[in-house]
Amino acid sequence: MILFESKYFSKFTFTSEQIERYFNNAKRDLKIAVEDDHLEVKFNYCYNALIKSGIALIAAKGNVKVRSVAGHHIRIIEKMAEILKDETVLAIGNAMRSKRNEDFYGGGIFISEKESNEYLGYVKGILKRVERLLEQR
């Protein structure tokens, strides 16, 4: 059983439509990442898609809503890794989070085309896995 700490999550009963909206929002961000030519835009929307798909997954599998508090992205990534039983989510998700934070708070980052494509491919795969789990709901 996965523990959802009350500091980061609150109990909530979601409808299927609400969870579908969360996930569709993640897919929309992934579509933007795929279609945009700017590497930083690709990266940021790819990261957003990962986090939003995590929110949908947590809502569906944990019946909890994510609280918007300091550190909540870390917890989303951790819970995704637990639910998917995949430690790469933790490693790659936190690497993306760190890069995003450096870009946001540290004056910018450089994202190579290779790196952008690797993140994009990884997140596409995660969204496919999340979608399969959501269909089982």
Side-chain angles (χ1 to χ4, degrees):
M1 176 157 168
I2 297 173
L3 173 66
F4 291 96
E5 306 90 341
S6 61
K7 178 178 178 181
Y8 300 102
F9 305 97
S10 60
K11 278 288 191 196
F12 193 86
T13 304
F14 291 92
T15 65
S16 295
E17 292 78 23
Q18 288 171 309
I19 293 169
E20 186 177 349
R21 274 198 315 268
Y22 279 138
F23 190 67
N24 284 340
N25 199 3
K27 290 193 300 189
R28 180 190 57 94
D29 281 2
L30 186 63
K31 185 176 188 287
I32 292 168
V34 167
E35 293 175 353
D36 200 280
D37 293 332
H38 296 89
L39 297 177
E40 291 82 5
V41 172
K42 280 184 171 302
F43 172 77
N44 279 303
Y45 275 90
C46 193
Y47 176 73
N48 287 346
L50 178 69
I51 295 299
K52 289 177 181 182
S53 70
I55 292 169
L57 181 63
I58 290 165
K61 297 299 180 182
N63 293 310
V64 292
K65 184 181 263 190
V66 178
R67 294 179 186 264
S68 182
V69 297
H72 68 288
H73 283 201
I74 295 169
R75 296 299 180 259
I76 292 167
I77 293 166
E78 288 173 351
K79 298 308 172 191
M80 282 184 79
E82 286 182 57
I83 293 167
L84 295 172
K85 295 177 177 58
D86 184 348
E87 288 300 311
T88 67
V89 174
L90 194 57
I92 295 172
N94 274 324
M96 291 179 76
R97 183 186 58 77
S98 293
K99 275 196 170 292
R100 179 257 186 195
N101 285 349
E102 179 63 28
D103 184 46
F104 202 75
Y105 302 110
I109 56 168
F110 172 77
I111 300 287
S112 70
E113 188 168 350
K114 179 181 183 282
E115 189 176 28
S116 176
N117 288 334
E118 288 172 353
Y119 284 135
L120 190 58
Y122 182 78
V123 172
K124 278 182 184 178
I126 293 297
L127 262 70
K128 284 180 184 174
R129 290 175 62 193
V130 169
E131 188 166 37
R132 282 194 300 271
L133 285 174
L134 294 179
E135 288 170 352
Q136 296 171 5
R137 186 171 193 268

